Amino acid sequence: MLALTDAAAEAISALTAQEGKQETGGLRFAVQAQQDAGAQLALSVAEQPEDGDQVLGTDAGARVFLEPQAAQFLDDKVLDVQQDDQGQLNFAVMPSPEAPTGV
């Protein structure tokens, strides 16, 4: 299942609030194009999940809607947010780190 960093959850909450959709809205991932090496994803702020979407939520209230193909592609990934040179925040999908062993 897609995991969210705290920074990504905060960014999603801020984004949905900015769009006036903080009550029921969330960030929606959909597959735009499928390739051999992966998938090109489309991101949008959605007022509510579409039929068949997987819904992820955090304690802080951030919600993510995953279209079924996107959910499959993002199953073992982590969603983070990173700041670019111009100060813009960009969402980044990264491989999930290995669980620590010997704890």
Side-chain angles (χ1 to χ4, degrees):
M1 179 182 302
L2 178 68
L4 302 177
T5 65
D6 290 342
E10 288 175 21
I12 292 167
S13 293
L15 194 57
T16 54
Q18 180 181 331
E19 296 283 327
K21 299 176 181 168
Q22 65 268 31
E23 293 301 317
T24 60
L27 189 67
R28 184 169 192 271
F29 284 84
V31 172
Q32 194 168 26
Q34 191 89 30
Q35 295 135 359
D36 290 340
Q40 184 175 353
L41 298 172
L43 281 178
S44 61
V45 175
E47 193 161 329
Q48 60 191 22
E50 292 187 16
D51 286 343
D53 280 0
Q54 182 179 7
V55 179
L56 306 176
T58 68
D59 293 341
R63 291 169 29 122
V64 176
F65 311 138
L66 301 174
E67 178 254 352
Q69 277 186 298
Q72 187 176 15
F73 176 73
L74 295 169
D75 187 45
D76 61 347
K77 306 287 190 291
V78 175
L79 180 65
D80 195 9
V81 68
Q82 299 171 342
Q83 195 169 25
D84 66 15
D85 295 338
Q86 287 79 39
Q88 295 290 321
L89 294 179
N90 297 298
F91 287 102
V93 176
M94 301 174 298
S96 182
E98 299 274 323
T101 57
V103 177

